[in-house]
Amino acid sequence: MRLRALLETGTLGLRLLAGEHELDRTVRGVMTTDLRDPSRYLSGGELVLTGLAWYRRPEDAEPFVRILVQNGVTGLAAGEAEFGSVPGSLAVACARHRLPLFAVDEAVSFASITEHVVRQVSGERAGDLAAVVERHRRLMTSGPAGGGPEVVLDLLGSDLDLRAWVLSPTGRRIAGAGGGRPGRALPAPLRPALAGEHLAAVRTGRRGPYRLVTPAGTYSLFPIRSSGGRPGAGAGRDVVGDVRETVLSDWLLAVEADAGDWPAERLDLLQGVTQLIAVERERRDAARTVRRRLAQEVLELVQAAAPPAEVAARLRVAAPVLLPGLGAAPHWQVVVARVEWEDSDLDSGPLTQALLEEILVDPASCGPEPSDRIAVADTGEEAVALVPLTSLPDGEGGQVQGLRAEELLAAVAEPLGRGLDGDGRLTMGVSAVVHSAEALRGALEEARHARRVAAARTGRVCAAGHQELASHVLLLPFVPDDVRRAFTARLLDPLRDYDRRHRAELIPTLEAFLDSDGSWTRCAGRLHLHVNTLRYRVGRIEQLTGRDLSRLEDKLDFFLALRMS
């Protein structure tokens, strides 16, 4: 607002004493003081209100006014209650420094002036930003994207002094304050915590914005929900089933502020920002259609056991889309993922597809673009990613290293576990790196088998890689339950019964003996036993079970029984 508007507001009863040519100055805030030197509390653009308690003699006026001018104050309003009128020396000093001076009638409270200024300034800021947001919305919905989410978030920072970030459901930064500006970035460890809080709040049906207090400050989280183009979006989002169809793929807006005491106008403004970003999200999702279709075509050829030459030809078509300017990819990897909900027949394919596209992006990268080199197909029950790898370091033994299941899991387990908590699971399988179209079918089966191994484990988010498929342990989850129970009971029940009656600790002794590879000395040292005591216990195990622990076959049976129990 401008000073002229204050003078024209009759209810404030202000009278101009100096600075009649400076009334077009902009008021950005208001501050009340009676300090001789209030400079530490000034940031520029304020209307300063003073009751003149600092004024003792005419010589006090000049230094006080000089301090205000040096700190960029817009105007000064002095109360008449202390002296009956504003001292003439103050009016002279203000005129000399071209600082507008108002007299405040003793019947008018400083609180009423402050309330009026704050209300006008806040309303104008919000209105100005809303107008900019509306213009940007029209640009984005009718033509090319006008700079994406970064433009809107920059406006939030410059016009409302709000630091904000757009985060993915895994906590990766899509847009927002950061870059090279010191102290402006959102700390990396905090991002998955914010994403996890958002997912947990959505799953429990809390209304946004969601509030999270951290040692780094208070954050308000606004869901960014699609208005179309994805399953479950739109008016039915309050239905539990609809929430589960999109909860793991929606972005969120994190604002470094406590929105709990915000006026309705500001909350509406932030909701408008989320809708604007949702439009940009949908635009980028639409751009993925070609990559998704190419992945679907390659997957169908591979599953149908098409000739390798046909698959290779399709990959050559896909390479310019996935690897613009780089030509064909020398290496490929397959990742299979599945989201399942207990007691539900929801079609999780589209959700898993969008989620897998996010999971496969380096969590340290910023923006939506890094996923533009990942093609993910939706089979209805699972999502299958075809990941091109252009340059890879050699690992041990000269083996080319690609994506690793444990690294993918570490980046997403915390936030996604909270979104799945209660009735959901995400399982993933990762194939080895392959170097030709002929090997893709084997890589697909390998990734699917690894996912089944992951599904046999406990936990809300589980992954397994091709490395784990080289161990006999992978066979254990696929043994039928009745066979598993009969096998373990025959070998271990006699030992458990004996331990219950005699507290002999035969089961712990057997585990330690096998873990020590049958070494008497190492096992005795591990259990803090004399070797003769250990030999007695092993003899009792053999007597109760009819097995011989010097035989490899019997050792392996005991090992498997312990793993399956």
Side-chain angles (χ1 to χ4, degrees), residues 393-432:
D394 287 343
E396 296 180 6
Q399 296 293 319
V400 177
Q401 299 295 312
L403 300 172
R404 301 181 65 87
E406 61 272 18
E407 294 172 358
L408 293 177
L409 191 66
V412 303
E414 177 189 349
L416 297 186
R418 299 191 67 185
L420 291 160
D421 189 36
D423 61 349
R425 292 197 74 204
L426 167 66
T427 52
M428 293 186 293
V430 183
S431 79

Side-chain angles (χ1 to χ4, degrees), residues 17 29-30 78 82 91 116 194 199 210 220 229 258 284 307 327 377 385 404 416 439 445 450 487 489 506 523:
L17 302 181
V30 63
E82 181 77 12
H116 177 82
L194 294 175
L199 293 175
Y210 318 118
S220 297
D258 187 350
R284 295 182 184 275
R404 301 181 65 87
L416 297 186
E445 292 305 315
F487 182 75
L506 296 185
C523 183

